[in-house]
């Protein structure tokens, strides 16, 4: 249209509503140690999680829910501790206190952490996933599997400083943190 002239739009508007956040997190992970014939120990660091804040702005990770499953956590076996540990300080990550995982139906258990940890724009934070694998089930003459996963977008909740409890991108789910087997 010519400058200064109003445009006339006819018809029914259509489209999808979009929500724009000030930043977004990214997460990568890797297994620490052996993935087969792994020994059971009281302090078993099984994976690293590398969190990155987009360069646009700071963010805060408020909730991380992890599902542990496999024969190593057979239903009804001994509960065990699970921790998210700050790789720099070797202490609990932010406010994420140690959790107890109690294996139940389907050879699995779920733990939820609330780190309330802020990551500055464009920077990253490495966190270690630690379990007490000495409590794991030990089937005679067989290896016992363990998987650690973040299953759904609501299992990672974060804040951009304006909006709270934003879920992780659903298209990236599930996130496998580690797969291993114990001797």
């Amino acid at each position: 249209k010519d400058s200064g002239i109003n445009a006339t739009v006819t018809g029914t508007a259509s489209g999808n509503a979009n929500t724009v956040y000030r930043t977004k997190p990214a997460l990568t992970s890797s297994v620490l140690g052996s993935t087969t014939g792994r020994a059971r120990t009281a302090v078993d660091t099984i994976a690293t999680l590398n969190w990155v804040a987009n360069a646009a702005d700071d963010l805060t990770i408020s909730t991380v829910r992890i599902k542990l499953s496999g024969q190593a956590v057979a239903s009804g076996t001994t509960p065990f501790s699970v921790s998210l540990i700050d790789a720099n300080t070797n202490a609990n990550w932010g406010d994420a206190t140690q959790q107890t995982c109690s294996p139940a139906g389907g050879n699995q258990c779920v733990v939820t952490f609330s780190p309330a940890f802020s990551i500055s724009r464009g920077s990253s934070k490495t966190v270690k996933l630690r379990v007490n694998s000495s409590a794991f089930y030990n089937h005679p003459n067989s290896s016992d599997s363990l998987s650690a996963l973040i299953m759904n977008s609501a299992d990672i909740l974060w804040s951009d400083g304006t909006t709270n409890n934003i879920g992780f991108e659903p298209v990236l789910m599930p996130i496998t943190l580690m797969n291993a087997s114990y001797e």
Side-chain angles (χ1 to χ4, degrees):
K1 216 54 181 145
D2 296 329
S3 178
I5 306 286
N6 290 332
T8 303
V9 178
T10 59
T12 303
S14 65
N16 297 320
N18 289 305
T19 303
V20 178
Y21 298 116
R22 296 169 54 182
T23 187
K24 70 176 187 174
L27 173 63
T28 58
S29 66
S30 59
V31 177
L32 286 173
S34 177
T35 57
T36 58
R38 195 175 178 107
R40 292 166 175 77
T41 65
V43 179
D44 190 358
T45 305
I46 60 175
T48 58
L49 291 74
N50 190 45
W51 299 90
V52 179
N54 186 278
D57 210 340
D58 303 346
L59 62 85
T60 300
I61 304 295
S62 54
T63 301
V64 179
R65 187 173 297 113
I66 299 171
K67 175 183 175 182
L68 296 137
S69 63
Q71 190 62 36
V73 291
S75 300
T77 56
T78 306
F80 58 95
S81 62
V82 182
S83 301
L84 288 179
I85 304 296
D86 186 314
N88 292 334
T89 65
N90 214 30
N92 287 337
W93 179 41
D95 294 337
T97 58
Q98 184 180 70
Q99 300 296 305
T100 299
C101 209
S102 299
N107 297 341
Q108 64 183 351
C109 56
V110 177
V111 290
T112 302
F113 298 95
S114 301
F117 191 87
S118 294
I119 303 171
S120 300
R121 67 184 72 199
S123 65
S124 64
K125 183 64 182 169
T126 301
V127 179
K128 300 182 279 187
L129 176 59
R130 183 176 289 163
V131 298
N132 176 357
S133 61
S134 67
F136 285 178
Y137 178 72
N138 191 357
H139 188 271
N141 304 316
S142 176
S143 64
D144 301 304
S145 63
L146 177 71
S147 294
L149 304 143
I150 299 174
M151 298 298 297
N152 305 300
S153 62
D155 290 342
I156 298 173
L157 297 178
W158 59 280
S159 167
D160 67 355
T162 301
T163 305
N164 296 319
N165 297 320
I166 305 166
F168 208 70
E169 293 183 59
V171 297
L172 300 176
M173 306 315 276
I175 299 171
T176 301
L177 304 176
M178 68 85 71
N179 284 311
S181 63
Y182 287 79
E183 60 185 13

